[in-house]
Each structure stands twice: as C-alpha cells, then as structure tokens.
Amino acid sequence: SHIRHAWDPSKSVAQNLAEMGLSEDPNKALPIPKKLGVEVESNGQQSRKKIVRKPYVVNEMEYEASLPEKKSNTLSRDLIDYVQYMIRNHGENYKEMARDEKNYYQDTPKQIKRKINVYKNFYPEEYKEFIASLKPEKMDVQ
C-alpha cells in the first residue's frame, strides 16, 4: 500500500522505484562477484549514487516488517465439532472414539488423542467451558 500511494503514473517503473529507494533488478542491487576467490570491494557499493526522493516508503515498509507477526492459527469448525462430539460421547476412551461411526477418516486412538490435544492448546478457555458444561449433564444422568 505504501508503494501504491507514492506511485507516480506519469513515470516509468524504474523511475518510480528509484525515487522510492527500491531496486527493479535484484541482481543489480546486490551484484554477485564473477570470481568466487576474489573479495568484493570493501565499501560494496556502486560508484554512482542514486537520489532517493521518497525515502518514507522504504522507512514505512521496514517498520511494517519489524512488527511482530500476529498468530492466526485457527482450527476448522469441522475439527472442533468432531472433537467435541467425541469427548461428549466417549469421555477419554480413545479406543471407543476410534470405533465410532463418525470417525470418517478412520483415525487411530493416538491420532484422535493428538487432535484433542491440539484443540486444548489452541482454545484452552473454550475447552474448559466445554468440559464444565459436560459435568452437570453427567451428574443429572446418574
């Protein structure tokens, strides 16, 4: 979005990128020496300097890149429903869960246990509320 706002449609791609301090060709920005044994010059820069007229674009992009990434890991609604169904009907009996008719993918007891643990780790509060809601039901049945 930063590039889009700083873009000048009357200029070429190369001119726009040069004004922002960006490179159109990564091979020219960081040249690779042709001989592997020869050291690159100590300054490592080209002789001619480019004038950057819009340095704020690079600064804003660097700031965005430095922000910590948000965790966006979620589980599918189907997997959550599957895990809740299994716990509701079988408690912690993983062998019975493996034999259940809703076990469409024929998960083994270990695979089902792993899915339940993933659900516990992703949604600990929701899992606690779900388990708490099951306990009164079982007391009423007995």
Side-chain angles (χ1 to χ4, degrees):
S1 65
H2 304 298
I3 295 173
R4 188 178 304 123
H5 293 297
W7 196 265
D8 185 2
S10 65
K11 296 182 181 177
S12 70
V13 174
Q15 290 171 335
N16 272 308
L17 291 175
E19 282 185 356
M20 293 178 212
L22 302 173
S23 174
E24 67 173 312
D25 186 5
N27 294 324
K28 290 180 183 175
L30 297 171
I32 299 173
K34 293 185 180 183
K35 296 181 182 177
L36 296 176
V38 178
E39 292 184 19
V40 182
E41 294 179 19
S42 61
N43 60 6
Q45 296 179 353
Q46 294 178 354
S47 60
R48 59 181 179 146
K49 295 199 175 196
K50 296 180 182 178
I51 299 171
V52 180
R53 294 194 173 121
K54 299 177 184 177
Y56 62 89
V57 175
V58 174
N59 294 337
E60 289 172 353
M61 290 173 65
E62 286 176 350
Y63 173 73
E64 268 188 29
S66 70
L67 293 175
E69 189 175 329
K70 294 179 183 177
K71 267 192 171 180
S72 62
N73 296 340
T74 59
L75 298 177
S76 68
R77 190 73 234 166
D78 293 335
L79 180 62
I80 293 171
D81 293 340
Y82 171 76
V83 167
Q84 289 180 350
Y85 168 83
M86 290 297 188
I87 293 172
R88 190 179 300 116
N89 291 333
H90 304 290
E92 291 190 13
N93 188 347
Y94 301 111
K95 289 183 181 181
E96 282 295 317
M97 290 180 192
R99 290 191 209 114
D100 192 288
E101 64 183 13
K102 293 244 179 167
N103 184 7
Y104 300 126
Y105 297 111
Q106 298 181 352
D107 293 328
T108 64
K110 276 190 173 183
Q111 288 172 321
I112 294 172
K113 185 176 183 179
R114 197 174 303 123
K115 286 181 181 182
I116 291 172
N117 286 335
V118 166
Y119 174 66
K120 285 180 189 178
N121 293 336
F122 273 64
Y123 304 104
E125 293 86 21
E126 185 179 327
Y127 177 76
K128 288 177 186 174
E129 291 174 11
F130 174 68
I131 295 299
S133 70
L134 290 178
K135 290 183 180 180
E137 293 176 12
K138 293 193 176 193
M139 289 182 172
D140 293 341
V141 173
Q142 293 175 354

